[in-house]
Amino acid sequence: MPLTINSRLEDGFAILELSGQLTLGPALPVLRDDVRKVLTANKPSGLILQVAQITQADSAGIGELITVYTLATNRGCPVRLVQASPHLRKMLEITHLETLLLSTPDLASAKSEMKQ
């Protein structure tokens, strides 16, 4: 299943719901493009990536998440992952990226952390 992205603005936060595979392929750069558009058009207080529906991730997908993190933080916009699967959390731990790509169990927690 290819990567699909649905974005919305809620309470001043940009929320991108990701589903499908976060793996090497033609759909992967679309995430970066969507994030650029959301950050430029809306100037959100934070960027929330809902990743509960990600079925598979590889090193290219993790690299794309780092690119998204860099784009957002360069604009002073914090990033949170919401509902990361055990597989995705494990990949972040193995690569020591869990300290950059912070994960929360739900949307309310992500919003609360970024309001502080």
Side-chain angles (χ1 to χ4, degrees):
M1 176 182 199
L3 180 65
T4 59
I5 305 164
N6 293 312
S7 61
R8 69 181 190 276
L9 198 62
E10 184 178 297
D11 300 327
F13 295 98
I15 301 171
L16 277 71
E17 295 177 8
L18 310 180
S19 61
Q21 298 178 351
L22 193 60
T23 57
L24 182 63
L28 196 56
V30 173
L31 175 58
R32 180 182 326 160
D33 295 338
D34 282 4
V35 167
R36 276 192 183 115
K37 288 175 191 170
V38 166
L39 293 174
T40 302
N42 301 306
K43 309 253 188 292
S45 302
L47 176 65
I48 299 171
L49 302 175
Q50 290 191 300
V51 294
Q53 299 301 315
I54 293 296
T55 58
Q56 188 177 11
D58 64 9
S59 59
I62 297 297
E64 197 65 26
L65 289 178
I66 294 302
T67 299
V68 164
Y69 170 84
T70 303
L71 288 170
T73 56
N74 284 344
R75 289 177 169 86
C77 182
V79 177
R80 291 294 183 277
L81 301 179
V82 173
Q83 297 176 323
S85 69
H87 171 71
L88 183 55
R89 284 195 312 266
K90 184 68 172 173
M91 288 185 74
L92 294 171
E93 288 172 16
I94 289 170
T95 56
H96 303 287
L97 295 172
E98 77 280 4
T99 58
L100 289 180
L101 293 169
L102 301 175
S103 184
T104 64
D106 55 52
L107 190 57
S109 297
K111 289 179 182 179
S112 176
E113 284 181 14
M114 289 191 284
K115 284 182 181 176
Q116 297 177 359

